[in-house]
Amino acid sequence: TLDIVAAVKAALPRVLATVTPELKVVTLGDQSIFVRASIAGVVREALIAAALTGMMILLFLGSWRSTLIVCISIPLSILASLCVLSLMGETINVMTLGGLALAVGILVDDATVAIENIHRNIGMRKPLVRAVIDGAAQIAIPTFVSTLAICIVFVPVLLLTGTAKYLFTPMAMAVVFAMLASYLLSRTLVPTMAYRLLRAEIAMYQLGVDGESAGGKGAFWSLHHWFNGLFERLRFRYIGLLDWSLRHRGPVISAFGVVFIASMGLLLLVGQDFFPTVDSGQMRLHARAPAGTRLEETEARFGEIDREIRRQIPPEQIDTIIDNIGIPNSFTSLAQGDIPTISSADGEILISLTKGKAGATRDYEVMLRKRLNEKFHDTTFFFQPANITNQILNFGLPAPIDLQVVGRDAAAGYKIAQALAAKIARIPGAADVHVHQVVDQPDIRMSVDRVKAGQMGLTERDVSGNMLISLSGSGTVAPNFWVNWANGVNYYVAVQTPQYKVDSLDALLRTPVSAAGSAVNSTTAAGGNSPVGASPSGASQAYGNPGAIAGKTQLLSNLVTFTRGVSPVIVNHYNVWPVFDVYANVDRRDLGGVGSEVEKIMDQERAHLPRGTTLDLRGQYETMRSSFFRLGLGMLVAVVLVYLLMSVNFQSWLDPFIILTALPGAMAGILWILFVTGTTLNVPSLMGAIMCIGVATANSILMVTFANEERALVPSAHEAMLSAGYARVRPVLMTAIAMMLGMLPMALGLGEGGEQNAPLGRAVIGGLLFATVTTLFVVPIVYSYLRTKPPVDHERQLEEEERNDTIDSEWNSTKPYLSI
């Protein structure tokens, strides 16, 4: 979008240099402003997220060197992801940048866990090289599994189809590539930089000082020591709560089950949308006057509508108001035009607002919808999507809900469409309900008396050709061009009776009809002047042999009889079948709620449909249902894939199940935060849910892996989980807090287009908040219930089998001598 708009603006000076200097060109609409502002907003959110994450790491570790190591891995991972996206033909856009902003919090995960574990080994008074190697080796496999788990959970995006596929697949790829690059860096660059930069901290430990920061002075170091002391008290308080929970496993797990089941009930209250509404500061109001209204009358009515709009909206809030009335004469322009504009009685009003309070656009839409319908009773009004995002999601349709009445019986189909529109208009939240097709445009029908025309040497083709040339122009029958040799430009030349001359039915009936198919009547129809040729052949006949034409020229009134009637303005087909479209917008309610009630009305109406007539529901609602089904199915597949991945890693069917018990908490947290913030369940929030599955799984892997290692030293699962909780509460909290801080700017939805990624950030924050509590309390309880025996140490088992095989082979080699 940015490239195309920039190229158009760059070409304008060259174009304007060829025309008169008095011609002024002003930009009336530019979607690139919204796109550029949206991209700037996402970049700003990512930078704020990176800054907050870095401050959190610095506060936890108290080491600027360790913070520098972690922060360097973030831009390197993002750059690596951008390189791969570029090779795959993707662009930097709101969705890919949103994915990278989403990944900022996760990118800290691998490097943070690695640095924190290296710090833990340094605290055990190990040499620097041994501390770095052990710290990296101890978490290599758990973080590898957690990274793959986060990547696998994005498999559902591959199942999307249509518009959703092109929107969210680049976002998923951006996250996956950044995660893989982050893991590679955490295994290579991070240990190397730790070896180079942490020498001073080793010296401090050797001197008996607790970390580099202990020797520092100043307000920050005092803040770090205060925070570290606070965290240690929190850690011991957590161990006490964990010990109490493990001793009261039944009540705690029952309370968790009740909370989870109650949270699932929020699915009925949250609502469903395909994509959040984006406030771009623009409104597209479509107005349709009564059928048959002439263009000049429509223009006058639009002037009244514009004045009413300026009375309702404060002048300081209006930037521009642009009216686009009627349809173009060119068929190619008509094919590329807007769907709702179908005649000279139609037009749209583009209202651009100045920057004001968030949500003002929707408030003005509600006010204008009510006021305009009250004042202009015979005019149909409906709002269309104004920003580029919703236009794409609607796939060119004027509304997100398109109920189609399909059938060959046009009269019955239109009556059914009107009845359905009346019922849908009564649904709470349904707005701008109307039937797209207009079937009552007044017309005049001419019937040629073929016998009389034949006696005069005329055919019906002669009559229709002369009528077309007079009313529509000679370009319809005989296109003609003139070349201006001065500039080399071809100009389209057409001859047509001036419309003001055909101001009555009598004037129309005075149209002369000639046997020359290309000959044309002209002002004689209304003013009595001589005919003019519309084409070279017609001109030669008119001026070369006027007597021949005069002898065969008749007035239209002598050849036809006329009747008045009505006819459709537009006839639409879908998959060859004739259709009538009932469009419905959504106002202050979720799309899923309105769409479900529309489906109920359809089910009631299907029992009364005539034979051969069917009802189909299309539009954004249909895409939303398909995307939700595929995402839900894909999430189940992703959970199964994650389970199988962990089963291979742990060589156990039990430990992966224990790890996945953190997911119900994540689902409950997502629903609660969506409910509290008034956010609907949509594709971005489902993307956040997918991300929560991966991060919650990664944190649970850390807990269960450490507990399995402790089972070799302690006798019970209770004690193993207490040790795991004490050792892993810091990296778990660091990862969760880093992720939540990284998503905070996105969740606030600030700036242009911030609403489209806000549900994603909110879902991640709410899901991680609950999932972290579940990981720290519920997962240990489930572990103590199910892991009654220590896990099998496959390496030790393999060593014992090799040792036994060696002893058996030695015994077999000495057995003959012993027998002798």
Side-chain angles (χ1 to χ4, degrees):
T1 302
L2 299 181
D3 290 343
I4 292 173
V5 172
V8 170
K9 290 182 177 180
L12 278 177
R14 298 196 303 271
V15 175
L16 295 179
T18 63
V19 298
T20 176
E22 288 77 16
L23 181 65
K24 302 297 180 184
V25 176
V26 180
T27 302
L28 297 180
D30 186 357
Q31 287 282 10
S32 68
I33 297 175
F34 172 71
V35 174
R36 188 176 287 107
S38 300
I39 292 177
V42 176
V43 172
R44 183 174 60 250
E45 291 170 358
L47 293 176
I48 295 174
L52 292 175
T53 304
M55 292 173 61
M56 185 275 302
I57 296 171
L58 186 59
L59 193 62
F60 262 99
L61 299 180
S63 167
W64 66 266
R65 294 181 176 89
S66 301
T67 305
L68 179 64
I69 295 171
V70 174
C71 290
I72 284 179
S73 67
I74 297 177
L76 290 178
S77 301
I78 291 176
L79 288 174
S81 179
L82 289 176
C83 291
V84 179
L85 288 173
S86 177
L87 292 175
M88 299 185 68
E90 299 292 342
T91 62
I92 295 177
N93 51 59
V94 174
M95 304 312 295
T96 52
L97 287 178
L100 294 175
L102 174 65
V104 166
I106 318 173
L107 296 180
V108 181
D109 187 9
D110 290 333
T112 301
V113 172
I115 287 295
E116 194 278 336
N117 208 43
I118 290 173
H119 268 263
R120 192 171 67 87
N121 281 271
I122 290 175
M124 297 168 63
R125 302 297 191 269
K126 292 182 179 181
L128 179 59
V129 175
R130 176 54 56 191
V132 171
I133 292 176
D134 289 350
Q138 290 167 359
I139 59 157
I141 295 194
T143 53
F144 178 69
V145 175
S146 62
T147 301
L148 286 183
I150 294 175
C151 295
I152 285 176
V153 296
F154 281 97
V155 168
V157 181
L158 301 178
L159 300 179
L160 291 174
T161 58
T163 310
K165 172 184 176 182
Y166 299 103
L167 282 174
F168 296 102
T169 301
M171 173 185 281
M173 290 193 298
V175 176
V176 170
F177 296 148
M179 283 298 302
L180 294 177
S182 174
Y183 178 79
L184 180 63
L185 292 173
S186 68
R187 304 278 71 81
T188 54
L189 181 66
V190 170
T192 304
M193 293 186 65
Y195 172 73
R196 294 293 183 184
L197 297 179
L198 299 185
R199 293 177 181 271
E201 298 188 19
I202 288 289
M204 290 291 180
Y205 278 115
Q206 290 175 349
L207 293 175
V209 181
D210 186 15
E212 176 195 5
S213 61
K217 297 180 180 180
F220 171 75
W221 305 116
S222 301
L223 177 63
H224 167 67
H225 286 305
W226 172 82
F227 177 79
N228 203 37
L230 181 65
F231 179 80
E232 290 300 324
R233 290 194 295 272
L234 176 65
R235 192 208 297 258
F236 282 106
R237 182 67 59 86
Y238 160 68
I239 294 301
L241 289 174
L242 179 60
D243 183 60
W244 182 88
S245 300
L246 290 171
R247 296 182 187 277
H248 301 80
R249 300 180 299 181
V252 173
I253 204 73
S254 300
F256 171 73
V258 171
V259 171
F260 173 70
I261 294 174
S263 301
M264 291 300 102
L266 294 175
L267 283 171
L268 303 176
L269 304 176
V270 168
Q272 298 178 358
D273 275 318
F274 182 57
F275 205 76
T277 302
V278 179
D279 186 358
S280 62
Q282 293 181 324
M283 292 181 285
R284 284 180 68 197
L285 174 63
H286 191 95
R288 178 176 295 164
T293 304
R294 290 181 58 84
L295 189 62
E296 56 269 24
E297 294 294 331
T298 307
E299 182 183 8
R301 179 166 301 203
F302 269 61
E304 297 177 8
I305 296 171
D306 290 346
R307 288 189 288 273
E308 184 64 28
I309 291 173
R310 294 185 184 276
R311 281 194 290 267
Q312 298 300 320
I313 302 178
E316 65 274 7
Q317 291 290 322
I318 299 177
D319 185 13
T320 57
I321 296 181
I322 303 171
D323 295 347
N324 188 10
I325 307 170
I327 58 175
N329 290 326
S330 169
F331 290 112
T332 56
S333 300
L334 181 62
Q336 299 173 11
D338 206 7
I339 291 177
T341 305
I342 58 178
S343 71
S344 60
D346 277 86
E348 68 173 32
I349 304 173
L350 180 62
I351 308 168
S352 297
L353 303 177
T354 58
K355 292 184 178 180
K357 64 177 182 178
T361 304
R362 176 170 290 189
D363 296 337
Y364 287 138
E365 285 184 0
V366 174
M367 179 182 62
L368 290 176
R369 183 181 289 120
K370 179 180 179 182
R371 178 58 185 159
L372 294 177
N373 282 309
E374 289 176 352
K375 187 168 183 179
F376 304 95
H377 300 286
D378 59 346
T379 304
T380 302
F381 295 97
F382 55 90
F383 284 94
Q384 301 174 242
N387 61 80
I388 191 171
T389 304
N390 288 343
Q391 289 174 6
I392 292 172
L393 294 175
N394 278 356
F395 218 73
L397 296 178
I401 296 178
D402 177 14
L403 173 56
Q404 290 186 339
V405 181
V406 185
R408 298 291 182 188
D409 190 344
Y414 183 69
K415 290 181 180 179
I416 294 171
Q418 285 184 311
L420 288 171
K423 293 181 180 180
I424 294 172
R426 293 193 289 268
I427 297 176
D432 302 333
V433 183
H434 66 281
V435 179
H436 172 60
Q437 287 75 18
V438 178
V439 299
D440 57 350
Q441 177 169 263
D443 58 19
I444 299 174
R445 302 181 182 184
M446 302 288 184
S447 299
V448 179
D449 188 336
R450 300 187 181 185
V451 175
K452 187 182 294 186
Q455 292 173 349
M456 299 179 182
L458 299 173
T459 64
E460 198 156 350
R461 179 180 178 182
D462 297 328
V463 177
S464 61
N466 282 268
M467 286 285 293
L468 283 173
I469 291 175
S470 177
L471 300 179
S472 300
S474 59
T476 308
V477 179
N480 199 2
F481 298 91
W482 173 72
V483 180
N484 184 355
W485 295 104
N487 56 15
V489 177
N490 291 335
Y491 291 92
Y492 184 68
V493 179
V495 178
Q496 180 182 354
T497 303
Q499 291 190 14
Y500 65 87
K501 295 279 188 177
V502 191
D503 57 355
S504 65
L505 183 59
D506 290 338
L508 178 65
L509 292 176
R510 289 200 299 271
T511 301
V513 178
S514 166
S518 58
V520 66
N521 61 80
S522 68
T523 53
T524 306
N529 296 326
S530 59
V532 179
S535 64
S537 59
S540 63
Q541 293 180 25
Y543 294 104
N545 189 7
I549 294 181
K552 296 183 180 180
T553 301
Q554 296 291 331
L555 294 180
L556 184 65
S557 59
N558 296 329
L559 302 173
V560 301
T561 58
F562 71 92
T563 57
R564 296 182 181 270
V566 294
S567 61
V569 177
I570 186 172
V571 177
N572 294 97
H573 294 77
Y574 191 92
N575 286 340
V576 183
W577 283 88
V579 296
F580 287 94
D581 297 275
V582 181
Y583 290 127
N585 216 329
V586 178
D587 177 33
R588 291 175 293 183
R589 191 182 176 188
D590 62 294
L591 177 61
V594 176
S596 62
E597 295 200 31
V598 170
E599 287 186 318
K600 293 178 182 178
I601 294 176
M602 292 171 61
D603 294 337
Q604 297 171 1
E605 191 68 24
R606 282 194 177 99
H608 310 290
L609 292 178
R611 187 171 180 267
T613 302
T614 59
L615 300 179
D616 290 326
L617 189 58
R618 297 189 172 93
Q620 190 182 138
Y621 177 71
E622 180 194 28
T623 309
M624 181 193 75
R625 288 195 310 171
S626 172
S627 300
F628 277 21
F629 173 76
R630 291 176 176 274
L631 278 177
L633 181 63
M635 288 176 69
L636 293 177
V637 174
V639 171
V640 173
L641 290 176
V642 170
Y643 179 81
L644 295 176
L645 170 69
M646 292 187 295
S647 299
V648 173
N649 174 69
F650 289 99
Q651 298 186 16
S652 167
W653 298 104
L654 184 60
D655 289 339
F657 177 79
I658 297 172
I659 291 169
L660 292 179
T661 54
L663 300 187
M667 295 297 104
I670 291 168
L671 291 175
W672 274 108
I673 197 167
L674 294 180
F675 175 73
V676 170
T677 59
T679 307
T680 58
L681 190 66
N682 46 51
V683 176
S685 58
L686 286 177
M687 295 288 290
I690 290 172
M691 180 60 67
C692 276
I693 292 175
V695 178
T697 302
N699 286 336
S700 296
I701 288 174
L702 290 178
M703 292 285 290
V704 173
T705 302
F706 194 91
N708 285 342
E709 294 174 355
E710 289 295 304
R711 287 303 299 273
L713 305 175
V714 297
S716 66
H718 184 128
E719 296 177 0
M721 262 302 166
L722 287 178
S723 299
Y726 181 84
R728 292 306 186 197
V729 65
R730 181 184 287 267
V732 168
L733 287 180
M734 286 179 66
T735 301
I737 295 176
M739 188 72 182
M740 287 187 282
L741 286 177
M743 292 294 101
L744 185 59
M746 183 183 293
L748 295 177
L750 304 176
E752 294 278 351
E755 304 94 334
Q756 57 192 2
N757 285 327
L760 192 152
R762 293 167 188 168
V764 171
I765 291 175
L768 274 184
L769 191 63
F770 277 58
T772 302
V773 176
T774 307
T775 300
L776 295 177
F777 289 98
V778 177
V779 170
I781 293 176
V782 178
Y783 184 90
S784 65
Y785 266 124
L786 301 180
R787 180 52 78 187
T788 55
K789 296 180 181 180
V792 178
D793 191 339
H794 295 281
E795 294 184 0
R796 182 177 299 176
Q797 186 179 25
L798 184 59
E799 291 176 358
E800 292 179 356
E801 291 177 357
E802 291 177 350
R803 189 182 305 112
N804 293 333
D805 290 342
T806 303
I807 293 174
D808 291 341
S809 61
E810 292 177 354
W811 169 257
N812 291 331
S813 63
T814 57
K815 187 174 180 181
Y817 298 100
L818 294 175
S819 62
I820 292 173

